[in-house]
Amino acid sequence: MVFLAKIKIIFNEIALSKVIQNFSWLFFDRIIRLFVGFFVSVLVARYLGVESFGKLSYAVAYTAFFQAISNFGVDSIVVRDMAKDRESSGEILINVLKLKLITSSFSVFIGVVIILLFLKDQMLASLIVIFSILFSIGNVVDLLFQSQSLSRLAVLAKFKSYLICLAIKVAVILFSLDEIFIFISISLEAFLSSVFIFNMLYKSDLQVKIDFLHFNLEYIAKLIRESWPLAISSVSIIVFMKSGIFFIENKLGFDSVGIYSIGVSLAEMTYMLPMLLLMSFAPVIAKAKEKGETDYKNEVSSFFRLMYIGSMVFVLCVGVLGYSAIPYIYGIAYIQSKYIFLIHIFTLIPVALGCAQSVWLVNERLTKVALYQTTSTAVLIIFLNFILIDEYGIMGAAFATLIAQLFQSLLVNFFFCRPLFKLTWKTIFFR
């Protein structure tokens, strides 16, 4: 009852209607993608077979690594700055847009060189998918929409491209076309999404002044100084989230990658819940920081509890259902995926706590702690994958991820940030 009372007070103070409206659009988008995308992913997995699906999964994981580099960890900081200073949002937007054009081009170039030199077995899929990084530049505008709690604009823009590319995938399957078109649809979706989202900005009534010739080196330098720990942290996150795929491919082959990826991708779909809450509440909590320390602490504490309770409920509801349904939906070739899913679904709990921690770190300007968290965890999971995959096969990679997530969210802050460590454990014990 006390917790509910606190939530009610918080909601009265942080313009609940705007948060709920923003969250509702994001939730609608993710739910539609979850259900529609799930059925299409089943068709794609069955159509490609475990080996080709493994190659596609490898390409997506490889691209995610360079995507993290290109983002340079600035997203949450940019949302915070735009939320605090709406009049300067246009200037921030164009500067971040130019920064990401540079980082994206560099990331794609390095990624392509590595593919051509070392990844010849998976060259085709990887070369096609990696260009989605450069085409995703429209996500900078999405940051502006997030900062103003106008995510519906980004949702509508991205949903159009999503539906178009879903239709392409279905057409490929129905007409038995070459699998290359499925690979192309991933980069095409990123391109169309950027086109539609820039068009949405043009049509919106946001009073944003944009000078395309302006480049504020002082702001960019300040942004990089604050974001570089988050950048390294983001890369480290990809390492411990996707390194299992690289180890499995090296030790067991693409068939095992395909089986492992099904279980992991289904479990990771549940990450939408904490990510949606994070996107909706981050700008509000950033503003609350300026109101007063007492109110800010109460709101952060309640946000932690919301993330923790929500993730536990979600795990219990979805875990048993997914485990039972996977063999019937994907076919006997993917039967081992149900074990991967069952282990991976429990990572939602530490992921949700990690999302809550990230809000606290950004507002406390302690982003270096995130660096310490993720780099130490990345080292741990590389060691665990190396040991456990040899011993337990693809199950070992799933156990490695779960152990690493628990280490990052629950234990590592004891060494690097005691206040955050105490806040997290108080949340777990409802204190």
Side-chain angles (χ1 to χ4, degrees), residues 277-290:
L277 291 171
L278 174 64
M279 291 168 65
S280 294
F281 280 92
V284 178
I285 292 176
K287 293 176 183 177
K289 177 71 172 174
E290 299 178 346

Side-chain angles (χ1 to χ4, degrees), residues 71-78 99 220-234 367:
N71 286 340
F72 212 78
V74 303
D75 289 3
S76 58
I77 298 171
V78 170
L99 174 64
I220 292 297
K222 175 178 172 292
L223 185 63
I224 292 175
R225 282 196 300 271
E226 187 174 358
S227 68
W228 72 262
L230 290 175
I232 298 177
S233 175
S234 297
T367 53

Side-chain angles (χ1 to χ4, degrees), residues 150-362:
L150 292 173
S151 291
R152 64 180 179 85
L153 301 179
V155 167
L156 292 172
K158 292 182 177 182
F159 196 63
K160 292 178 185 177
S161 61
Y162 180 68
L163 289 179
I164 291 171
C165 293
L166 275 184
I168 292 174
K169 292 175 183 177
V170 172
V172 170
I173 295 168
L174 289 177
F175 296 104
S176 299
L177 302 178
D178 194 290
E179 64 185 28
I180 191 175
F181 292 106
I182 293 179
F183 304 153
I184 291 173
S185 68
I186 296 176
S187 288
L188 179 62
E189 182 178 347
F191 174 76
L192 292 177
S193 176
S194 291
V195 171
F196 292 144
I197 205 168
F198 275 110
N199 185 57
M200 193 65 72
L201 175 63
Y202 176 75
K203 291 182 177 180
S204 72
D205 57 358
L206 285 173
Q207 300 297 318
V208 178
K209 297 179 181 179
I210 299 178
D211 182 3
F212 288 98
L213 299 178
H214 180 70
F215 194 64
N216 189 337
L217 289 176
E218 182 179 352
Y219 175 75
I220 292 297
K222 175 178 172 292
L223 185 63
I224 292 175
R225 282 196 300 271
E226 187 174 358
S227 68
W228 72 262
L230 290 175
I232 298 177
S233 175
S234 297
V235 174
S236 299
I237 288 172
I238 297 300
V239 169
F240 77 72
M241 291 299 293
K242 302 297 184 182
S243 63
I245 289 178
F246 301 119
F247 275 96
I248 290 171
E249 188 277 326
N250 181 260
K251 293 175 179 289
L252 305 174
F254 285 113
D255 285 6
S256 295
V257 171
I259 294 169
Y260 176 79
S261 297
I262 287 295
V264 172
S265 62
L266 289 177
E268 288 180 350
M269 285 181 180
T270 63
Y271 293 0
M272 72 167 186
L273 179 63
M275 291 304 299
L276 290 179
L277 291 171
L278 174 64
M279 291 168 65
S280 294
F281 280 92
V284 178
I285 292 176
K287 293 176 183 177
K289 177 71 172 174
E290 299 178 346
K291 293 181 180 179
E293 198 65 22
T294 301
D295 290 341
Y296 166 71
K297 287 181 178 179
N298 289 335
E299 292 174 7
V300 168
S301 177
S302 294
F303 183 57
F304 266 72
R305 293 185 183 183
L306 179 64
M307 298 290 259
Y308 179 55
I309 294 172
S311 62
M312 287 198 301
V313 171
F314 216 73
V315 166
L316 293 174
C317 292
V318 176
V320 175
L321 178 62
Y323 176 82
S324 304
I326 285 174
Y328 299 99
I329 296 173
Y330 284 92
I332 196 67
Y334 293 96
I335 191 169
Q336 284 186 289
S337 298
K338 69 177 185 178
Y339 303 110
I340 304 302
F341 171 80
L342 189 61
I343 298 169
H344 247 277
I345 190 68
F346 283 96
T347 63
L348 176 65
I349 298 172
V351 164
L353 288 172
C355 287
Q357 290 173 355
S358 70
V359 172
W360 187 88
L361 290 173
V362 168

Side-chain angles (χ1 to χ4, degrees), residues 18-30 141-142 144-160 196-197 200-201 203-206 279-280:
K18 198 169 186 179
V19 172
I20 288 181
Q21 184 181 38
N22 196 57
F23 178 82
S24 297
W25 276 99
L26 292 168
F27 188 73
F28 168 79
D29 177 57
R30 296 306 193 277
V141 180
D142 188 9
L144 172 64
F145 293 152
Q146 288 179 42
S147 70
Q148 308 304 324
S149 295
L150 292 173
S151 291
R152 64 180 179 85
L153 301 179
V155 167
L156 292 172
K158 292 182 177 182
F159 196 63
K160 292 178 185 177
F196 292 144
I197 205 168
M200 193 65 72
L201 175 63
K203 291 182 177 180
S204 72
D205 57 358
L206 285 173
M279 291 168 65
S280 294

Side-chain angles (χ1 to χ4, degrees), residues 105 108 110 152 317:
S105 300
V108 170
I110 297 299
R152 64 180 179 85
C317 292

